[in-house]
């Protein structure tokens, strides 16, 4: 869940859209701006160094939207719709991640079964090949039969290697 990049991106997108709703709702409320400044000027007289002029200024500005013709409410509804879409996308990513895990697990299980079957097939082909070689020594089998058995053994070994590769890939998934 935490290592899935698509799911993490969808989660962050949903959080951002939720924050956008709060921002749009905040536009209905009054806004206050505070600014202040202070300063000291040099002496008023060159002969009196203790008499300094100090200026302090403070300002508070309060703004409240009175009439917006439904603009703010419209933006809030739009942000809510975007959040609903982001939640649906997040749910879709969760389902997709779960489906990917189930599929990967199924592939791993199938690959493990194929490896076991491949090992048994190789063992059977080795026994058959060894038996064909002995029978060929006693004149009961032809060289072609031995070559066919050897080809079946090589084919079984390739199938086993392919099954092992599939298992490694499924493990990584």
């Amino acid at each position: 869940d935490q290592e899935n990049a698509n799911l993490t991106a969808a989660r962050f997108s949903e959080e951002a859209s939720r924050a956008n709703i709060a921002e749009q709702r905040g536009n209905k409320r009054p806004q206050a701006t505070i600014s202040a400044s202070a300063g000291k000027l040099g002496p008023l007289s060159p002969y009196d160094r203790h008499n300094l002029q100090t200026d302090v200024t403070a300002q508070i500005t309060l703004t409240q939207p009175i009439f917006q013709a439904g603009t703010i409410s419209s933006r809030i509804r739009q942000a809510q719709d975007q959040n609903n879409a982001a939640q649906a996308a997040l749910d879709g990513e969760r389902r997709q991640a779960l489906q990917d895990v189930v599929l990967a697990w199924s592939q791993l299980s199938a690959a493990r079964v194929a490896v076991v079957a491949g090992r048994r097939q190789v063992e059977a082909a080795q026994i058959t090949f060894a038996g064909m070689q002995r029978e060929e020594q006693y004149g009961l089998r032809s060289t072609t039969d031995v070559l066919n058995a050897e080809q079946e053994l090589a084919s079984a070994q390739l199938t086993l290697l392919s099954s092992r590769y599939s298992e490694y890939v499924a493990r990584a998934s």
Side-chain angles (χ1 to χ4, degrees), residues 90-143:
L90 178 60
D91 289 341
E93 286 299 331
R94 279 189 185 125
R95 283 191 299 274
Q96 184 63 45
L98 181 60
Q99 183 180 1
D100 291 346
V101 168
V102 168
L103 179 64
W105 184 256
S106 297
Q107 288 174 343
L108 179 60
S109 297
R112 285 180 175 165
V113 168
V115 167
V116 170
R119 283 186 193 140
R120 289 182 182 158
Q121 186 179 7
V122 167
E123 289 170 5
Q126 286 173 338
I127 292 169
T128 302
F129 178 61
M132 289 284 186
Q133 282 181 323
R134 287 236 169 129
E135 289 178 357
E136 194 249 342
Q137 288 173 353
Y138 295 119
L140 299 172
R141 296 285 178 180
S142 68
T143 305

Side-chain angles (χ1 to χ4, degrees), residues 55-169:
D55 288 335
V56 177
T57 306
Q59 178 180 359
I60 298 176
T61 306
L62 187 64
T63 57
Q64 169 68 46
I66 297 174
F67 180 71
Q68 293 292 322
T71 305
I72 295 175
S73 298
S74 176
R75 287 182 185 158
I76 292 171
R77 285 191 305 274
Q78 181 183 15
Q80 288 170 338
D81 288 342
Q82 289 171 345
N83 181 254
N84 290 339
Q87 286 176 349
L90 178 60
D91 289 341
E93 286 299 331
R94 279 189 185 125
R95 283 191 299 274
Q96 184 63 45
L98 181 60
Q99 183 180 1
D100 291 346
V101 168
V102 168
L103 179 64
W105 184 256
S106 297
Q107 288 174 343
L108 179 60
S109 297
R112 285 180 175 165
V113 168
V115 167
V116 170
R119 283 186 193 140
R120 289 182 182 158
Q121 186 179 7
V122 167
E123 289 170 5
Q126 286 173 338
I127 292 169
T128 302
F129 178 61
M132 289 284 186
Q133 282 181 323
R134 287 236 169 129
E135 289 178 357
E136 194 249 342
Q137 288 173 353
Y138 295 119
L140 299 172
R141 296 285 178 180
S142 68
T143 305
T144 306
D145 291 336
V146 175
L147 291 175
N148 285 339
E150 186 178 18
Q151 179 63 34
E152 287 179 20
L153 175 60
S155 177
Q157 290 171 338
L158 284 174
T159 302
L160 177 60
L161 289 175
S162 177
S163 296
R164 284 184 179 160
Y165 168 78
S166 296
E167 181 188 13
Y168 292 140
V169 169

